[in-house]
């Protein structure tokens, strides 16, 4: 087990208890019903989990992204859907926390920290997924209100949330300051929750379209009070939230591995437990190594984000891509180890595999994470200039072909 601090161990044990007593028994029911697990959310709020990442002055527990990740892992070990139903409140609230004015923080964060209000994040659109900056939903300032028109897509928690961090174009002419974030309350005239998606996994969390038709939002809901900082706030939010997706993936992978371990120990074939057959033993060993490596990456990413380290963006993207690819591989192998039983809905193992798939897609596909990592590697290369003398001389100069000598 990694070296957890006292605070991390505390939250880990609170979440573990809830995961085993409340989450695991409810997982199948909400997966089948495709309904939000309100009773579970109440239990999480009662245990103080809904505001772990929110500072004490705004009603939270004052812990950080690292503690949040430890909790998400524990919940996701029992149910990946409930893991994200919880984690997505952090995603929705990070824009307020990172970019909101003091007044906005005081108004909204205590509501979220107590669990009285759920929050969601509205960034993606039908035609603007990975290329988030190409969004079309726009917000026009008219007097003391912004009038929002457009649609958002794949808003996790959409059908359950009371509040939405909505990103929209407020200055179409600008390149750098095109986008702003507005807080929109459920029930605002002109704001409708659209289509609820029928999903492969994480079925207990509603994922919806958000529809804005001349939706008037007070200008005081403009995050940070100044337009044009929306894209930056969205990117900073994702840096803070991606370790949480990775933690969800670690939880799914660890939960599937535990079930596979128990199955492989009890299941006898050829006169022995299948775990004693090298083919299965090596599979379990590889799964365990990858789970542990992912967990350590998540903890390091959480630490870097909490300390505002300069390489936090890269590490958040790295742990997200690595841990979620591992989760897909490990949960698929866990189904393989369960054999015919694994494929059947009678047992929870197939759900781990279904829940894992989205972790490779949302909060930036793993291809986008690799873009972020690669771009950061290019930026960091200037620190390695002292190594230039060890590469071929012609490449040192930039590798540009010299002009052909005149004939
Ligand atoms: N922190 C702060 N600022 C950042 C930043 C960061 N991590 N990353 C970029 N920026 C800034 C840049 O510095 C730049 O600012 P300047 O103009 O002042 O120089 C500006 O933002 C534009 O940056 P890029 O040129 O790098 O932007 P880009 O258009 O090339 O896009 C991208 C970069 C990484 C691909 C980005 O679009 C991205 O992350 N895409 C994926 C979006 C995503 O994750 N969507 C998921 C939404 S949530 C979800 O899944 C649903 C849900 O509910 C769970």
């Amino acid at each position: 087990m990694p070296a957890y601090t006292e605070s991390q161990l505390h939250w880990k044990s609170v979440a573990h208890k809830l995961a085993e007593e409340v989450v695991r028994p409810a997982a199948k029911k909400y997966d089948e019903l495709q309904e939000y697990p309100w009773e579970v959310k109440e239990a999480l709020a009662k245990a103080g989990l809904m505001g772990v990442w929110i500072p004490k002055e705004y009603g939270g527990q004052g812990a950080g992204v690292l503690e949040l990740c430890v909790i998400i892992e524990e919940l996701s070990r029992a149910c990946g859907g409930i893991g994200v139903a919880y984690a997505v409140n952090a995603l929705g609230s990070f824009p307020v926390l990172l970019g909101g004015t003091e007044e906005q923080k005081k108004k909204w964060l205590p509501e979220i920290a107590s669990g009285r209000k759920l929050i969601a994040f509205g960034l993606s659109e039908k035609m603007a997924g990975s290329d988030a900056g190409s969004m079309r939903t726009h917000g026009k300032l008219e007097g003391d209100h912004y009038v929002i028109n457009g649609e958002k897509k794949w808003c996790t928690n959409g059908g359950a949330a009371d509040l939405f961090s909505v990103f929209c174009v407020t200055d179409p002419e600008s390149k750098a300051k095109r986008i702003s974030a507005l807080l929109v309350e459920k029930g605002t005239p002109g704001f409708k929750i659209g289509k609820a998606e029928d999903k492969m996994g994480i079925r207990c969390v509603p994922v919806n379209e958000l529809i804005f038709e001349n939706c008037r939002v007070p200008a005081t809901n403009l995050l940070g009070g100044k337009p044009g900082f929306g894209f930056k706030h969205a990117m900073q939010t994702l840096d803070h939230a991606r370790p949480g997706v990775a933690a969800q993936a670690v939880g799914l992978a660890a939960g599937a591995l535990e079930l596979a371990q128990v199955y492989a120990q009890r299941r006898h074939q050829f006169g022995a437990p299948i775990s004693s057959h090298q083919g299965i033993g090596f599979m379990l060993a590889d799964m365990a190594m990858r789970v542990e490596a992912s967990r350590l990456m998540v903890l390091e990413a959480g630490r870097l984000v909490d300390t505002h380290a300069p390489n936090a963006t890269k590490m958040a993207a790295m742990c997200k891509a690595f841990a979620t690819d591992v989760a897909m591989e490990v949960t698929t192998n866990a189904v393989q180890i369960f054999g015919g039983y694994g494929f059947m809905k009678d047992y929870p193992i197939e759900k781990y595999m279904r829940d894992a798939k989205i972790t490779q897609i949302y909060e930036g596909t793993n291809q986008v994470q690799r873009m972020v990592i690669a771009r950061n590697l290019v930026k960091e290369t200037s620190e390695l200039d002292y190594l230039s003398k060890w590469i071929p001389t012609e490449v040192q100069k930039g590798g540009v072909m010299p002009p052909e000598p005149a004939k």
Side-chain angles (χ1 to χ4, degrees):
M1 190 162 78
Y4 292 108
T5 63
E6 220 170 281
S7 150
Q8 289 150 18
L9 277 177
H10 164 73
W11 290 116
K12 186 172 161 60
S13 91
V14 172
H16 183 83
K17 192 165 180 302
L18 279 169
E20 294 308 325
E21 291 176 3
V22 185
V23 177
R24 200 184 292 274
K28 185 176 169 68
K29 175 172 120 184
Y30 290 106
D31 179 60
E32 283 174 358
L33 290 174
Q34 202 161 192
E35 271 178 17
Y36 189 83
W38 291 104
E39 53 168 322
V40 177
K41 183 235 128 185
E42 288 310 320
L44 300 183
K46 210 166 147 211
L49 295 191
M50 298 305 284
V52 162
W53 64 95
I54 293 176
K56 287 194 173 144
E57 62 262 40
Y58 307 119
Q61 307 292 342
V65 168
L66 218 164
E67 279 81 1
L68 172 68
C69 288
V70 169
I71 294 167
I72 297 171
E73 181 191 330
E74 284 301 329
L75 300 179
S76 305
R77 266 180 60 251
C79 175
I82 289 171
V84 67
Y86 168 72
V88 78
N89 289 287
L91 173 72
S93 66
F94 282 138
V96 186
L97 205 50
L98 298 168
T101 60
E102 196 52 32
E103 221 179 355
Q104 288 166 340
K105 289 180 193 175
K106 281 194 180 131
K107 180 171 178 192
W108 307 110
L109 293 176
E111 296 291 304
I112 298 157
S114 63
R116 284 191 295 276
K117 286 198 193 300
L118 299 177
I119 186 161
F121 182 76
L123 180 71
S124 302
E125 298 180 1
K126 278 180 191 159
M127 304 304 285
S130 293
D131 185 5
S134 69
M135 68 178 64
R136 291 278 173 85
T137 296
H138 59 93
K140 193 165 176 242
L141 185 62
E142 284 183 10
D144 55 2
H145 280 72
Y146 276 93
V147 181
I148 312 178
N149 278 288
E151 283 180 19
K152 291 287 165 185
K153 187 84 178 159
W154 307 299
C155 177
T156 310
N157 227 15
D162 309 277
L163 265 177
F164 298 79
S165 296
V166 177
F167 293 82
C168 51
V169 179
T170 49
D171 187 354
E173 305 310 319
S174 168
K175 198 162 180 282
K177 300 245 167 103
R178 199 171 157 260
I179 293 167
S180 302
L182 284 157
L183 271 170
V184 184
E185 288 186 81
K186 182 172 150 183
T188 306
F191 171 37
K192 273 193 310 205
I193 305 294
K195 181 186 168 210
E197 306 290 350
D198 185 6
K199 309 179 297 300
M200 172 198 275
I202 61 156
R203 287 168 55 83
C204 70
V205 204
V207 172
N208 297 74
E209 291 178 355
L210 310 179
I211 299 162
F212 301 92
E213 286 165 350
N214 292 321
C215 170
R216 291 175 68 80
V217 177
T220 48
N221 286 18
L222 177 74
L223 264 191
K226 282 190 224 134
F229 292 93
F231 196 74
K232 217 161 211 119
H233 290 155
M235 293 299 108
Q236 288 168 342
T237 290
L238 290 166
D239 289 346
H240 277 66
R242 283 172 180 157
V245 179
Q248 184 201 359
V250 174
L252 281 163
L257 170 63
E258 287 162 359
L259 286 171
Q261 279 174 260
V262 174
Y263 179 89
Q265 199 67 28
R266 306 276 195 282
R267 172 76 167 162
H268 285 64
Q269 291 291 281
F270 307 104
I274 60 169
S275 59
S276 67
H277 301 312
Q278 202 177 58
I280 301 295
F282 280 10
M283 272 173 88
L284 289 165
D286 279 333
M287 289 154 78
M289 277 193 283
R290 286 164 171 66
V291 169
E292 207 56 49
S294 305
R295 180 178 289 128
L296 293 173
M297 280 181 88
V298 171
L299 296 179
E300 178 62 357
R303 189 185 69 77
L304 294 177
V305 169
D306 283 336
T307 54
H308 309 288
N311 54 344
T313 297
K314 184 183 73 177
M315 194 61 188
M318 279 184 166
C319 78
K320 195 277 187 188
F322 187 85
T324 61
D325 284 349
V326 163
M328 200 62 241
E329 183 190 326
V330 167
T331 55
T332 306
N333 283 342
V335 169
Q336 186 71 18
I337 289 172
F338 266 72
Y341 294 115
F343 195 66
M344 304 306 157
K345 284 196 173 251
D346 296 347
Y347 309 99
I349 200 70
E350 57 83 34
K351 176 175 172 297
Y352 281 81
M353 188 175 145
R354 286 188 286 111
D355 285 349
K357 184 61 211 172
I358 189 65
T359 66
Q360 293 179 302
I361 299 170
Y362 61 18
E363 292 194 35
T365 62
N366 283 1
Q367 287 69 30
V368 161
Q369 308 310 317
R370 286 171 171 88
M371 267 171 71
V372 172
I373 298 162
R375 286 180 183 186
N376 277 280
L377 286 175
V378 169
K379 280 190 208 156
E380 287 168 10
T381 308
S382 61
E383 290 161 29
L384 301 173
D385 276 350
Y386 69 98
L387 291 174
S388 290
K389 66 178 178 216
W390 299 104
I391 65 170
T393 328
E394 52 274 32
V395 180
Q396 281 175 33
K397 289 177 194 143
V400 181
M401 187 93 79
E404 257 189 283
K407 288 187 186 140

